[in-house]
Amino acid sequence: MKLFLDTANINEIREIASWGVLDGITTNPSLLSKEGISLEKSIKEICKLVKGPVSAEVISTDLAGMLKEGRAYSKWAKNVVIKIPMTIEGLKAVKILTKEKILTNVTLCFSANQAILAAKAGASYVSPFIGRLDDAGESGMTLVEEIVQIFENYCFMTEVLVASIREPRQVTEAAIAGADIATVPFAIFQKLIAHQLTDIGLKKFIEDSKKIPKK
Ligand code: G3P
């Protein structure tokens, strides 16, 4: 499973990129609004740091506007992926941009039927928002399992990008379900590596290493 970082913060991206395990980035207008930098500047800077796919979301909700933005973003860097909302206009935009060989990520997906439509339109990625579904009293991970199964049944090429992750266990569960990608917030990324038994074990090894004769 590929691991993306869900942020527009350059320092966070630099840090996780330095670990050598970062496959891509997802941003959204809410994440970008925290940075005080324009969308274009942010995405261009992120694309210089990360070679993998970088999702940049359109602001327009009408077809013409989404196409205009999508085409413009796609010229900023080779690895830009156009994030399009799960709407009828969005589906039309995905179909057209896909024909133009522009990569798309259908965002705000909350049902298997929406994911089927995104795949049929030719989306490169579909993003089920699992945390928000859990917040609404539904099961985000059940949705991921359903989408993975359906895409497997019909050999859909669209990759399942699990988004709105709130805790480390969800990364494990996404991998067990067979998701292609988990996009993980910075704080959760740091928790992926942490285990108190690792810390205790390392401390003991370091202490014991001092007792080994030098020669
Ligand atoms: O990238 C979009 C998604 O991950 C948003 O997460 O926590 O705002 O539901 P959240």
Side-chain angles (χ1 to χ4, degrees):
M1 184 173 69
K2 285 171 271 190
L3 290 176
F4 287 9
L5 184 61
D6 197 24
T7 189
N9 183 281
I10 293 295
N11 293 331
E12 292 181 358
I13 294 169
R14 276 210 183 94
E15 170 61 21
I16 302 299
S18 76
W19 296 10
V21 295
L22 185 60
D23 297 303
I25 300 290
T26 50
T27 68
N28 63 41
S30 306
L31 294 170
L32 282 154
S33 70
K34 295 181 194 165
E35 303 306 318
I37 309 170
S38 76
L39 172 74
E40 183 170 350
K41 273 189 190 159
S42 280
I43 297 299
K44 283 182 174 171
E45 199 175 350
I46 295 169
C47 287
K48 275 188 204 153
L49 286 174
V50 178
K51 294 280 162 270
V54 174
S55 285
E57 189 157 341
V58 295
I59 310 300
S60 298
T61 52
D62 64 299
L63 177 60
M66 285 190 269
L67 291 176
K68 192 174 168 204
E69 288 170 23
R71 285 168 182 148
Y73 298 2
S74 72
K75 293 193 176 79
W76 293 344
K78 277 186 189 150
N79 49 336
V80 173
V81 174
I82 312 305
K83 216 170 176 187
I84 307 263
M86 182 66 245
T87 61
I88 293 170
E89 294 295 283
L91 277 183
K92 293 178 191 172
V94 168
K95 187 85 188 175
I96 294 168
L97 292 173
T98 301
K99 271 194 190 151
E100 295 174 15
K101 305 212 178 319
I102 293 172
L103 300 178
T104 57
N105 172 3
V106 174
T107 187
L108 293 166
C109 174
F110 293 99
S111 78
N113 286 334
Q114 289 180 328
I116 292 170
L117 292 171
K120 288 187 70 71
S124 323
Y125 307 93
V126 65
S127 294
F129 274 33
I130 64 166
R132 294 191 193 183
L133 262 182
D134 291 348
D135 292 345
E138 295 183 50
S139 167
M141 205 48 72
T142 302
L143 173 61
V144 172
E145 288 162 9
E146 287 177 357
I147 298 172
V148 168
Q149 181 65 66
I150 292 165
F151 285 11
E152 204 178 296
N153 290 350
Y154 296 100
C155 299
F156 284 135
M157 298 307 286
T158 305
E159 293 190 56
V160 182
L161 195 169
V162 178
S164 187
I165 284 178
R166 304 273 164 81
E167 46 188 76
R169 180 67 198 167
Q170 290 171 322
V171 176
T172 309
E173 288 170 1
I176 292 168
D180 299 284
I181 304 149
T183 189
V184 184
F186 184 70
I188 306 296
F189 227 113
Q190 288 177 310
K191 287 185 183 173
L192 297 183
I193 197 162
H195 200 290
Q196 57 169 345
L197 290 178
T198 305
D199 300 340
I200 293 167
L202 182 59
K203 197 167 167 252
K204 179 86 171 81
F205 284 154
I206 290 169
E207 279 165 15
D208 290 346
S209 73
K210 291 172 190 154
K211 299 173 199 159
I212 304 170
K214 294 276 182 285
K215 285 184 186 169

